[in-house]
Amino acid sequence: MTTTTARTDRIYKSPSEFLVRPNFVDYEAERSAFSWGEVARQLGADEDDMCNIAELALDRHAMGPQRDRTAFRFVNSEIRDGEFGTEDISYGELAEQARRFTNVLRRLGIGKGDTMFVAAGRVPALYYGILGALRNGTVVSPMFSAFGPEPIATRVRLGEGTVMLTTEKLYRRKIAKVRETMPSLRHILLIDDDGSPSEVAGTLNLARLMAEVDDDAPLTPTKATDPALLHFTSGTTGTPKGAIHVHGAAVTHYATGRYALDLHPDDIYWCTADPGWVTGMSYGVIAPLLHGVTSVVDPADFDAERWYRILEQLDISVWYTAPTAIRMLMKAGPELAQQFQYPKLRFVASVGEPLNPDAVLWGRDVLGHAIHDNWWQTETGGIMIANTPAFDIKPGSMGRPLPGVDAFVVRREAGRVVIVDEPNVEGELALRVGWPSMFRGYLNNEDRYRESFSGDFYLTGDLARRDADGYFWFVGRADDVIKSAGHLIGPFEVENVLMEHAAVAEAAVIGIPDDMVGEVVHAFVTLKVGHVANEALRRELMGHARKRLGAAVAPKGIDFAEQLPHTRSGKIMRRLLKARQLGLPEGDLSTLESSS
Ligand code: ATP
Ligand code: MG
């Protein structure tokens, strides 16, 4: 595979990039001193002993000096006179509501071993509901509130949910239609939308029940190995898989919040991911609470101006977002960004897809902070490889394995996994098993789970290479790699080069079957504001790609698109572009964002 060189190979960090002392400065020393058991002890959880995510994240603080600190700051949907109104909920208040919620479940006979499905916007009840259920030993499975009726029903059936937490509006619009197809569901708890609670047949009103129970609810004891969360994957490559996670995962969330997000207790932190997928749960709910920080929650959808305004007005210090959002901000142009200032911002990280080098640099130029890309999956439960405060960023690289994580490039040989030691050789990304947040099964798919492991290794299905400095570079998903005339081409590399062009906002590259060369590279691009799609621009882009990549790797065709199809977790669905291009069945679209 060819390798292009990023225009900036490395961003050297100066100490002034951090307004407070980073959590660690010596990567090698931290790695060699690290042990998961020690982190568990710092957190007050003994790994093999009793451990409950909600106790560590919430109950612990609610009894201590953190009691009155704001846990979540909910932003109002409307902006009045250029200002946001907010609603704060302290650690103490959140814990009280979570305890009441635990009692609501108990009163309904829901306990350990039950599964609660959640589909609600980012409102306070979603957060105390999740935590109250975890306190009760009840497994939580979050869904995007924007899912249609069928994706919701399919997941509830697969996970045999016995209770669902949702809102009145969502119930009336979607869930009522499929209620009969979810026979395992014993109770549906409705969160009120604005206005007064109304009776909806076949459901229970949450506010009413919360008022009836008291707030004394001792925790149901759980072990580190007890199931806590059921997360469905994004469905980027096929039908979403249900990944089972345990309470002990909190130990990973705590350690990675420290290393990869540089969380300090006085931070105001904004994770833009919805709790409907694993990032929004692990790093939008659990990790920030474990660290005792204040999290900002915006219930609204993406809007470039709104987001810049939130960064500025709510004094965000640590920001965790996704490439697709960054690309949309880039698309909106620098003038908008320059209308705001971000003096409190000190650390920006991204996850979910490869982060193009240009996006890393945009962060530096526009926000004043280069963006720290990090890599992980639903299956890993937490961040595994990251650009951290402790070392320089190489734009386009996912960074280095965090302390406690052993990552390798491997190849499979006669059914065995062989570690590739030489740097800069591509192969499958594998992790040595043993980190606490590793998934413990795919729901109803024991075979697939077993096939993900070989000896000591978990095989990720992603391709990567490791350079001589130990940085990992994402090449593509094993499914997406294009084989053309003897070359193996990673779509990310081609997309990065297209993104270098001033007109391009987003690019997606697929392989199209070809009799002569196996597959040819084909690209779809969207344009930034102020650029027009025409033949001249197409030729210019083809020329730019050929110059940077060589004729064998550059796209043979480029289509302009208004939008690219994304999953709700913000990933480009290349398989859908390919299916459409080839006139093949579109496959499972349950996670497709409706606007795309
Ligand atoms: P499915 O498994 O259902 O096809 P998915 O793999 O997109 O969906 P997630 O678990 O949400 O579901 O996403 C994990 C994947 O996202 C990783 O395996 C990787 O392909 C991609 N990814 C995440 N972060 C990064 C990153 N920083 N750089 C490159 N790829 C990333
Ligand atoms: Mg996956």
Side-chain angles (χ1 to χ4, degrees):
M1 210 174 287
T2 53
T3 303
T4 57
T5 36
R7 281 167 299 155
T8 302
D9 284 322
R10 202 184 257 264
I11 295 178
Y12 292 99
K13 292 194 188 169
S14 68
S16 65
E17 247 194 82
F18 301 97
L19 302 179
V20 295
R21 175 177 46 85
N23 277 325
F24 77 126
V25 287
D26 187 338
Y27 174 72
E28 296 299 344
E30 193 76 21
R31 271 182 77 79
S32 53
F34 183 89
S35 95
W36 288 113
E38 180 52 32
V39 180
R41 269 188 297 282
Q42 285 168 13
L43 194 55
D46 210 314
E47 259 188 294
D48 341 283
D49 206 352
M50 305 318 282
C51 172
N52 182 284
I53 292 176
E55 180 182 33
L56 298 173
L58 186 58
D59 295 13
R60 204 167 48 100
H61 297 303
M63 291 179 309
Q66 229 26 23
R67 204 197 134 71
D68 296 323
R69 176 153 169 82
T70 299
F72 289 109
R73 176 161 295 156
F74 293 92
V75 182
N76 292 347
S77 304
E78 285 107 68
I79 310 175
R80 293 231 171 86
D81 307 324
E83 296 279 333
F84 289 109
T86 56
E87 188 191 325
D88 284 4
I89 173 163
S90 70
Y91 277 84
E93 289 161 344
L94 185 64
E96 187 201 313
Q97 289 176 332
R99 290 196 302 272
R100 281 183 190 274
F101 191 87
T102 303
N103 278 336
V104 167
L105 292 181
R106 286 181 185 164
R107 191 197 246 203
L108 300 174
I110 301 291
K112 204 168 162 175
D114 280 303
T115 299
M116 177 175 90
F117 277 80
V118 211
R122 293 181 286 276
V123 295
L126 171 74
Y127 293 80
Y128 67 67
I130 289 168
L131 293 155
L134 291 171
R135 295 185 77 262
N136 194 41
T138 301
V139 173
V140 175
S141 188
M143 298 182 288
F144 281 101
S145 59
F147 276 165
E150 227 6 87
I152 291 177
T154 312
R155 282 165 179 73
V156 173
R157 281 197 298 270
L158 264 174
E160 296 174 54
T162 51
V163 58
M164 186 190 283
L165 176 63
T166 186
T167 66
E168 186 179 331
K169 223 183 260 157
L170 288 171
Y171 182 79
R172 289 187 192 277
R173 278 195 203 148
K174 316 179 173 176
I175 296 159
K177 293 184 191 144
V178 287
R179 174 76 180 86
E180 296 307 315
T181 70
M182 302 179 285
S184 61
L185 264 193
R186 299 211 301 271
H187 302 289
I188 296 183
L189 291 167
L190 292 195
I191 303 166
D192 297 322
D193 301 298
D194 307 333
S196 55
S198 52
E199 289 296 336
V200 182
T203 69
L204 298 164
N205 181 271
L206 178 63
R208 203 161 289 149
L209 285 171
M210 288 284 285
E212 281 169 20
V213 295
D214 66 34
D215 70 347
D216 179 21
L219 191 97
T220 298
T222 50
K223 293 208 182 81
T225 49
D226 282 339
L229 295 157
L230 170 63
H231 278 300
F232 286 86
T233 60
S234 293
T236 314
T237 56
T239 304
K241 306 169 282 279
I244 299 160
H245 286 281
V246 296
H247 280 280
V251 177
T252 302
H253 298 143
Y254 184 69
T256 53
R258 177 201 288 166
Y259 293 130
L261 301 176
D262 199 45
L263 292 178
H264 287 63
D266 56 357
D267 274 316
I268 298 188
Y269 165 74
W270 183 24
C271 170
T272 61
D274 186 271
W277 71 294
V278 71
T279 302
M281 181 64 80
S282 302
Y283 296 100
V285 183
I286 302 170
L289 293 178
L290 286 168
H291 281 273
V293 309
T294 294
S295 282
V296 166
V297 176
D298 182 22
D301 289 336
F302 176 86
D303 174 89
E305 182 174 340
R306 181 180 175 94
W307 279 33
Y308 286 129
R309 198 180 288 278
I310 290 178
L311 286 172
E312 177 187 88
Q313 280 182 14
L314 298 182
D315 292 337
I316 307 295
S317 59
V318 176
W319 193 36
Y320 194 22
T321 189
T324 172
I326 296 165
R327 290 191 295 254
M328 285 195 283
L329 292 176
M330 292 167 76
K331 186 175 179 179
E335 297 76 19
L336 185 60
Q338 281 150 9
Q339 288 170 24
F340 300 90
Q341 286 182 344
Y342 321 99
K344 296 286 167 57
L345 194 63
R346 62 173 189 82
F347 194 79
V348 183
S350 160
V351 70
E353 278 200 302
L355 186 65
N356 315 88
D358 278 86
V360 176
L361 301 176
W362 171 87
R364 182 191 61 186
D365 298 340
V366 171
L367 301 175
H369 300 277
I371 300 173
H372 296 75
D373 185 22
N374 58 56
W375 175 95
W376 58 291
Q377 308 178 305
T378 307
E379 290 86 342
T380 69
I383 303 170
M384 298 281 107
I385 299 177
N387 287 285
T388 75
F391 45 85
D392 301 329
I393 294 175
K394 293 194 189 187
S397 159
M398 319 189 271
R400 298 202 268 181
L402 290 179
V405 175
D406 293 319
F408 305 89
V409 172
V410 304
R411 68 173 178 263
R412 305 194 199 201
E413 243 170 42
R416 277 189 348 138
V417 164
V418 182
I419 296 176
V420 178
D421 272 327
E422 317 90 271
N424 296 317
V425 176
E426 279 154 18
E428 189 167 359
L429 178 61
L431 303 166
R432 198 196 304 282
V433 297
W435 70 97
S437 66
M438 194 183 77
F439 73 135
R440 305 303 157 105
Y442 280 128
L443 193 63
N444 301 337
N445 203 341
E446 189 50 41
D447 289 348
R448 174 130 198 192
Y449 182 65
R450 235 177 303 109
E451 285 158 17
S452 314
F453 296 89
S454 174
D456 259 2
F457 296 105
Y458 163 63
L459 298 158
T460 65
D462 284 344
L463 302 180
R465 62 190 169 80
R466 183 180 39 80
D467 71 17
D469 299 326
Y471 285 70
F472 282 72
W473 299 76
F474 184 80
V475 172
R477 293 161 182 268
D479 292 4
D480 287 341
V481 167
I482 302 160
K483 299 177 190 75
S484 185
H487 294 269
L488 282 180
I489 301 163
F492 179 44
E493 178 186 17
V494 182
E495 289 160 11
N496 282 343
V497 164
L498 290 169
M499 293 261 314
E500 288 171 1
H501 193 282
V504 176
E506 193 166 46
V509 164
I510 60 169
I512 295 179
D514 180 89
D515 289 342
M516 296 291 288
V517 293
E519 281 183 301
V520 293
V521 177
H522 191 87
F524 298 85
V525 300
T526 63
L527 299 180
K528 286 190 189 144
V529 173
H531 294 271
V532 186
N534 57 30
E535 204 39 48
L537 179 59
R538 190 195 317 270
R539 270 200 301 275
E540 195 178 310
L541 288 174
M542 305 266 265
H544 167 74
R546 261 199 303 277
K547 199 163 91 215
R548 296 277 290 125
L549 295 160
V553 176
K556 297 287 176 296
I558 295 180
D559 285 344
F560 295 111
E562 274 302 310
Q563 275 184 57
L564 299 176
H566 287 97
T567 66
R568 296 214 169 269
S569 55
K571 296 159 198 280
I572 299 175
M573 252 194 200
R574 294 180 188 77
R575 70 173 162 96
L576 179 58
L577 288 169
K578 190 162 174 168
R580 285 179 180 165
Q581 186 78 15
L582 302 179
L584 296 172
E586 295 189 335
D588 187 311
L589 298 185
S590 62
T591 60
L592 182 70
E593 200 174 0
S594 38
S595 62
S596 49

Coordinates of all heavy atoms in Angstrom, one line a residue, residues 424-484:
N424 N 5.6 0.0 10.2 CA 5.1 0.5 8.9 C 4.6 -0.7 8.0 O 4.5 -0.5 6.8 CB 6.0 1.4 8.1 CG 6.3 2.6 8.9 OD1 5.4 3.2 9.4 ND2 7.6 3.0 9.0
V425 N 4.3 -1.8 8.6 CA 3.7 -2.9 7.8 C 2.2 -3.0 8.2 O 1.9 -2.9 9.4 CB 4.4 -4.2 8.1 CG1 3.7 -5.4 7.4 CG2 5.9 -4.1 7.7
E426 N 1.4 -3.1 7.2 CA -0.1 -3.1 7.5 C -0.5 -4.5 7.9 O 0.0 -5.5 7.4 CB -0.9 -2.7 6.3 CG -0.9 -1.2 6.2 CD -1.1 -0.6 4.9 OE1 -1.5 -1.4 4.0 OE2 -0.8 0.6 4.7
G427 N -1.5 -4.5 8.8 CA -2.0 -5.8 9.2 C -3.3 -5.5 10.0 O -3.7 -4.4 10.2
E428 N -3.8 -6.6 10.6 CA -5.0 -6.4 11.5 C -4.6 -5.9 12.8 O -3.6 -6.3 13.4 CB -5.8 -7.7 11.6 CG -7.1 -7.5 12.3 CD -8.1 -8.6 12.2 OE1 -7.8 -9.7 11.5 OE2 -9.2 -8.5 12.7
L429 N -5.4 -5.0 13.3 CA -5.1 -4.4 14.7 C -5.7 -5.4 15.7 O -6.8 -5.8 15.6 CB -5.8 -3.1 14.8 CG -5.8 -2.3 16.1 CD1 -4.3 -2.0 16.5 CD2 -6.6 -1.1 16.1
A430 N -4.8 -5.8 16.6 CA -5.2 -6.8 17.7 C -4.9 -6.2 19.0 O -3.9 -5.4 19.2 CB -4.5 -8.1 17.4
L431 N -5.6 -6.6 20.1 CA -5.3 -6.2 21.4 C -5.2 -7.4 22.3 O -5.9 -8.4 22.2 CB -6.5 -5.4 22.0 CG -6.9 -4.1 21.1 CD1 -8.3 -3.6 21.6 CD2 -5.9 -3.0 21.3
R432 N -4.2 -7.3 23.2 CA -4.1 -8.4 24.2 C -5.2 -8.3 25.2 O -5.4 -7.3 25.8 CB -2.7 -8.3 24.9 CG -2.3 -9.7 25.5 CD -1.2 -9.6 26.5 NE 0.0 -9.0 26.0 CZ 0.9 -9.6 25.3 NH1 0.7 -10.9 24.9 NH2 2.0 -9.0 24.9
V433 N -5.9 -9.4 25.4 CA -7.1 -9.4 26.3 C -6.7 -9.1 27.7 O -5.5 -9.3 28.1 CB -7.9 -10.7 26.2 CG1 -8.5 -10.9 24.8 CG2 -7.1 -11.9 26.7
G434 N -7.6 -8.5 28.5 CA -7.3 -8.3 29.9 C -7.7 -6.9 30.4 O -7.5 -6.7 31.6
W435 N -8.1 -6.0 29.5 CA -8.6 -4.7 30.1 C -10.0 -4.9 30.6 O -10.8 -5.6 30.0 CB -8.4 -3.6 29.0 CG -9.4 -3.7 27.9 CD1 -10.5 -3.0 27.8 CD2 -9.3 -4.5 26.7 NE1 -11.2 -3.3 26.6 CE2 -10.4 -4.3 25.9 CE3 -8.4 -5.5 26.2 CZ2 -10.7 -4.9 24.7 CZ3 -8.6 -6.1 25.0 CH2 -9.8 -5.8 24.3
P436 N -10.4 -4.1 31.6 CA -11.6 -4.4 32.3 C -12.9 -4.1 31.5 O -13.9 -4.8 31.7 CB -11.6 -3.4 33.5 CG -10.2 -3.0 33.7 CD -9.5 -3.1 32.4
S437 N -12.9 -3.2 30.5 CA -14.1 -2.9 29.8 C -14.3 -3.8 28.5 O -15.1 -3.4 27.7 CB -14.2 -1.4 29.4 OG -13.2 -1.2 28.4
M438 N -13.6 -4.8 28.4 CA -13.7 -5.7 27.2 C -15.1 -6.3 27.2 O -15.6 -6.7 28.3 CB -12.7 -6.8 27.2 CG -12.6 -7.5 25.9 SD -11.4 -8.8 25.9 CE -12.4 -10.0 26.8
F439 N -15.8 -6.4 26.1 CA -17.1 -7.0 26.0 C -17.0 -8.5 26.4 O -16.0 -9.1 26.2 CB -17.7 -6.8 24.6 CG -17.2 -7.5 23.5 CD1 -18.0 -8.2 22.6 CD2 -15.8 -7.6 23.2 CE1 -17.5 -8.9 21.5 CE2 -15.3 -8.4 22.1 CZ -16.2 -9.0 21.3
R440 N -18.1 -9.0 26.9 CA -18.1 -10.4 27.4 C -19.0 -11.2 26.5 O -19.2 -12.4 26.9 CB -18.6 -10.4 28.8 CG -17.7 -9.5 29.8 CD -16.3 -9.8 29.7 NE -15.5 -8.7 30.1 CZ -14.9 -8.6 31.3 NH1 -15.0 -9.6 32.2 NH2 -14.1 -7.5 31.6
G441 N -19.5 -10.7 25.4 CA -20.2 -11.6 24.5 C -21.0 -10.7 23.5 O -21.2 -9.5 23.7
Y442 N -21.3 -11.3 22.4 CA -22.3 -10.7 21.4 C -23.6 -11.4 21.7 O -23.7 -12.7 21.8 CB -21.9 -11.0 20.0 CG -20.8 -10.2 19.4 CD1 -19.7 -10.8 18.8 CD2 -20.9 -8.8 19.4 CE1 -18.7 -10.0 18.2 CE2 -19.9 -8.0 18.8 CZ -18.8 -8.7 18.2 OH -17.8 -7.9 17.6
L443 N -24.6 -10.6 21.9 CA -25.9 -11.1 22.2 C -26.3 -12.2 21.2 O -26.3 -11.9 20.0 CB -26.9 -9.9 22.2 CG -28.3 -10.2 22.8 CD1 -28.1 -10.5 24.3 CD2 -29.1 -8.9 22.6
N444 N -26.7 -13.4 21.7 CA -27.2 -14.4 20.8 C -26.2 -14.8 19.7 O -26.7 -15.2 18.6 CB -28.5 -14.1 20.2 CG -29.6 -13.8 21.2 OD1 -29.5 -14.3 22.4 ND2 -30.6 -13.1 20.9
N445 N -25.0 -14.6 19.9 CA -24.0 -14.9 18.8 C -22.7 -15.3 19.4 O -21.7 -14.7 19.2 CB -23.9 -13.7 17.8 CG -23.4 -14.2 16.5 OD1 -22.9 -15.3 16.4 ND2 -23.6 -13.4 15.5
E446 N -22.7 -16.4 20.1 CA -21.6 -17.0 20.8 C -20.4 -17.3 19.8 O -19.3 -17.0 20.0 CB -22.0 -18.2 21.5 CG -20.9 -18.8 22.5 CD -20.3 -17.8 23.4 OE1 -21.1 -16.9 24.0 OE2 -19.1 -17.9 23.7
D447 N -20.8 -17.8 18.6 CA -19.8 -18.1 17.6 C -19.0 -16.9 17.1 O -17.8 -16.9 17.1 CB -20.5 -18.7 16.3 CG -21.0 -20.1 16.6 OD1 -20.7 -20.7 17.7 OD2 -21.8 -20.7 15.8
R448 N -19.7 -15.9 16.8 CA -19.1 -14.7 16.4 C -18.1 -14.1 17.5 O -17.0 -13.6 17.2 CB -20.1 -13.6 16.0 CG -19.5 -12.3 15.6 CD -20.0 -11.8 14.3 NE -19.2 -10.8 13.8 CZ -19.5 -10.0 12.8 NH1 -20.6 -10.1 12.2 NH2 -18.6 -9.1 12.4
Y449 N -18.6 -14.2 18.7 CA -17.7 -13.8 19.8 C -16.5 -14.6 19.8 O -15.4 -14.0 19.9 CB -18.5 -13.9 21.1 CG -17.8 -13.4 22.4 CD1 -17.4 -12.1 22.5 CD2 -17.4 -14.3 23.4 CE1 -16.8 -11.6 23.6 CE2 -16.7 -13.9 24.5 CZ -16.4 -12.5 24.6 OH -15.7 -12.1 25.7
R450 N -16.6 -15.9 19.8 CA -15.4 -16.7 19.9 C -14.5 -16.5 18.7 O -13.3 -16.4 18.9 CB -15.8 -18.2 19.9 CG -15.2 -18.9 21.1 CD -15.7 -20.4 21.3 NE -17.1 -20.6 21.4 CZ -17.8 -21.1 20.4 NH1 -17.3 -21.5 19.3 NH2 -19.1 -21.3 20.5
E451 N -15.0 -16.2 17.5 CA -14.2 -16.0 16.4 C -13.4 -14.7 16.5 O -12.5 -14.5 15.7 CB -15.0 -15.9 15.1 CG -15.5 -17.3 14.6 CD -16.7 -17.2 13.7 OE1 -17.0 -16.1 13.2 OE2 -17.4 -18.3 13.6
S452 N -13.8 -13.8 17.4 CA -13.1 -12.5 17.5 C -11.8 -12.7 18.3 O -11.1 -11.7 18.4 CB -14.0 -11.5 18.2 OG -15.2 -11.5 17.8
F453 N -11.6 -13.9 18.8 CA -10.4 -14.1 19.6 C -9.5 -15.1 19.1 O -10.0 -16.1 18.4 CB -10.8 -14.5 21.1 CG -11.6 -13.4 21.8 CD1 -12.9 -13.3 21.7 CD2 -10.9 -12.4 22.5 CE1 -13.7 -12.3 22.3 CE2 -11.6 -11.4 23.2 CZ -13.0 -11.4 23.1
S454 N -8.2 -15.0 19.3 CA -7.3 -16.0 18.9 C -6.2 -16.0 20.0 O -5.5 -15.0 20.2 CB -6.7 -15.7 17.5 OG -5.7 -16.7 17.3
G455 N -6.2 -17.1 20.8 CA -5.2 -17.1 21.9 C -5.5 -16.0 22.8 O -6.6 -15.7 23.3
D456 N -4.4 -15.2 23.0 CA -4.5 -14.0 23.9 C -5.0 -12.8 23.3 O -5.0 -11.7 23.9 CB -3.0 -13.7 24.3 CG -2.7 -14.2 25.7 OD1 -3.6 -14.9 26.3 OD2 -1.6 -14.0 26.1
F457 N -5.4 -12.9 22.0 CA -5.7 -11.6 21.2 C -7.1 -11.5 20.9 O -7.8 -12.4 20.6 CB -4.9 -11.6 19.9 CG -3.4 -11.6 20.1 CD1 -2.6 -12.7 19.9 CD2 -2.8 -10.4 20.5 CE1 -1.3 -12.6 20.0 CE2 -1.5 -10.3 20.7 CZ -0.7 -11.4 20.4
Y458 N -7.6 -10.2 21.0 CA -8.9 -9.9 20.5 C -8.6 -9.2 19.1 O -7.8 -8.3 19.0 CB -9.6 -8.9 21.4 CG -10.7 -8.1 20.7 CD1 -11.8 -8.9 20.2 CD2 -10.6 -6.8 20.4 CE1 -12.8 -8.2 19.5 CE2 -11.7 -6.1 19.7 CZ -12.7 -6.8 19.3 OH -13.7 -6.2 18.6
L459 N -9.2 -9.7 18.1 CA -9.0 -9.2 16.7 C -10.1 -8.2 16.4 O -11.3 -8.5 16.4 CB -9.0 -10.4 15.7 CG -7.9 -11.4 16.0 CD1 -8.2 -12.7 15.4 CD2 -6.6 -10.9 15.5
T460 N -9.6 -7.0 16.0 CA -10.6 -5.9 16.0 C -11.4 -5.7 14.6 O -12.4 -5.0 14.6 CB -9.9 -4.5 16.2 OG1 -9.0 -4.3 15.0 CG2 -9.1 -4.5 17.5
G461 N -10.8 -6.4 13.6 CA -11.5 -6.2 12.3 C -11.0 -4.9 11.6 O -11.5 -4.6 10.5
D462 N -10.2 -4.1 12.2 CA -9.6 -2.9 11.6 C -8.2 -3.2 11.1 O -7.5 -4.0 11.8 CB -9.6 -1.7 12.6 CG -11.0 -1.2 12.8 OD1 -11.9 -1.4 12.0 OD2 -11.2 -0.4 13.8
L463 N -7.8 -2.5 10.1 CA -6.4 -2.6 9.6 C -5.6 -1.4 10.0 O -6.2 -0.3 10.0 CB -6.4 -2.8 8.1 CG -7.1 -4.0 7.5 CD1 -7.0 -4.0 6.0 CD2 -6.6 -5.3 8.1
A464 N -4.4 -1.6 10.4 CA -3.6 -0.5 10.9 C -2.1 -0.8 10.6 O -1.7 -1.9 10.2 CB -3.8 -0.3 12.4
R465 N -1.3 0.3 10.8 CA 0.1 0.0 10.8 C 0.7 0.8 12.0 O 0.1 1.8 12.5 CB 0.8 0.4 9.5 CG 0.7 1.8 9.1 CD 1.2 2.1 7.7 NE 0.8 3.4 7.4 CZ 1.5 4.5 7.7 NH1 2.6 4.5 8.4 NH2 1.0 5.7 7.4
R466 N 1.8 0.4 12.5 CA 2.5 1.0 13.6 C 3.8 1.6 13.1 O 4.5 0.9 12.4 CB 2.7 0.0 14.7 CG 3.3 0.5 16.0 CD 3.6 -0.6 17.1 NE 4.0 -1.8 16.5 CZ 5.3 -2.0 16.1 NH1 6.2 -1.2 16.4 NH2 5.6 -3.2 15.5
D467 N 4.1 2.8 13.4 CA 5.3 3.4 12.9 C 6.5 3.1 14.0 O 6.2 2.5 15.0 CB 5.2 4.8 12.5 CG 5.0 5.8 13.7 OD1 5.3 5.4 14.9 OD2 4.6 6.9 13.5
A468 N 7.7 3.6 13.6 CA 8.8 3.3 14.4 C 8.7 3.9 15.8 O 9.4 3.5 16.8 CB 10.1 3.7 13.7
D469 N 7.9 5.0 15.9 CA 7.7 5.6 17.2 C 6.6 5.0 18.1 O 6.2 5.6 19.1 CB 7.4 7.1 17.1 CG 8.6 7.9 16.4 OD1 9.7 7.5 16.6 OD2 8.3 8.8 15.6
G470 N 6.0 4.0 17.5 CA 4.9 3.3 18.3 C 3.5 3.9 18.1 O 2.6 3.6 18.8
Y471 N 3.4 4.9 17.1 CA 2.1 5.4 16.8 C 1.4 4.5 15.8 O 2.0 3.9 14.9 CB 2.2 6.8 16.1 CG 2.6 7.9 17.0 CD1 3.9 8.0 17.5 CD2 1.8 9.0 17.2 CE1 4.3 9.1 18.3 CE2 2.1 10.0 18.0 CZ 3.4 10.1 18.6 OH 3.8 11.1 19.4
F472 N 0.1 4.4 16.0 CA -0.8 3.5 15.2 C -1.5 4.4 14.1 O -2.0 5.5 14.5 CB -1.8 2.7 16.0 CG -1.1 1.5 16.6 CD1 -0.3 1.7 17.7 CD2 -1.4 0.3 16.2 CE1 0.3 0.6 18.3 CE2 -0.8 -0.9 16.8 CZ 0.1 -0.7 17.9
W473 N -1.6 3.9 12.9 CA -2.2 4.6 11.8 C -3.3 3.7 11.3 O -3.1 2.6 10.9 CB -1.2 4.9 10.7 CG -0.1 5.8 11.2 CD1 1.0 5.4 12.0 CD2 0.1 7.2 10.9 NE1 1.8 6.5 12.2 CE2 1.2 7.6 11.6 CE3 -0.7 8.1 10.2 CZ2 1.7 8.9 11.6 CZ3 -0.2 9.4 10.2 CH2 0.9 9.8 10.9
F474 N -4.5 4.3 11.2 CA -5.7 3.5 10.7 C -5.6 3.4 9.2 O -5.3 4.4 8.5 CB -6.9 4.3 11.1 CG -8.2 3.6 10.8 CD1 -8.7 2.6 11.6 CD2 -8.9 4.0 9.7 CE1 -9.9 1.9 11.2 CE2 -10.1 3.4 9.3 CZ -10.6 2.3 10.1
V475 N -5.8 2.2 8.7 CA -5.8 2.0 7.3 C -7.2 1.9 6.7 O -7.5 2.4 5.7 CB -5.0 0.7 6.9 CG1 -5.1 0.4 5.5 CG2 -3.5 1.0 7.3
G476 N -8.0 1.1 7.4 CA -9.4 1.0 7.0 C -10.0 -0.2 7.7 O -9.3 -0.9 8.5
R477 N -11.3 -0.4 7.5 CA -11.8 -1.7 8.1 C -11.5 -2.8 7.1 O -11.4 -2.6 5.9 CB -13.3 -1.5 8.2 CG -13.8 -0.5 9.2 CD -15.2 -0.1 8.8 NE -15.6 1.0 9.7 CZ -16.3 0.7 10.9 NH1 -16.5 -0.5 11.2 NH2 -16.7 1.7 11.6
A478 N -11.3 -3.9 7.7 CA -10.9 -5.1 6.8 C -11.9 -5.2 5.7 O -11.5 -5.5 4.5 CB -10.8 -6.3 7.6
D479 N -13.2 -4.9 5.9 CA -14.2 -5.0 4.9 C -14.1 -3.9 3.8 O -14.7 -4.1 2.7 CB -15.6 -4.8 5.5 CG -16.0 -5.9 6.4 OD1 -15.2 -6.8 6.7 OD2 -17.1 -5.9 7.0
D480 N -13.5 -2.8 4.1 CA -13.5 -1.7 3.2 C -12.3 -1.5 2.3 O -12.3 -0.7 1.4 CB -13.6 -0.4 4.0 CG -15.0 -0.1 4.6 OD1 -16.0 -0.8 4.1 OD2 -15.1 0.7 5.5
V481 N -11.3 -2.4 2.6 CA -10.1 -2.2 1.8 C -10.3 -2.6 0.3 O -11.0 -3.5 0.0 CB -8.9 -3.1 2.4 CG1 -7.8 -3.2 1.5 CG2 -8.5 -2.4 3.8
I482 N -9.7 -1.8 -0.5 CA -9.9 -1.9 -2.0 C -8.7 -2.6 -2.6 O -7.6 -2.2 -2.3 CB -10.1 -0.5 -2.6 CG1 -11.3 0.2 -1.9 CG2 -10.3 -0.6 -4.1 CD1 -11.3 1.7 -2.1
K483 N -9.0 -3.6 -3.4 CA -7.9 -4.4 -4.0 C -7.9 -4.0 -5.5 O -8.8 -4.3 -6.2 CB -8.1 -5.9 -3.8 CG -8.0 -6.3 -2.4 CD -8.3 -7.8 -2.2 CE -8.5 -8.1 -0.8 NZ -9.9 -7.7 -0.3
S484 N -6.9 -3.3 -5.9 CA -6.9 -2.8 -7.3 C -5.5 -3.0 -7.9 O -4.5 -2.5 -7.4 CB -7.2 -1.3 -7.3 OG -7.3 -0.8 -8.6

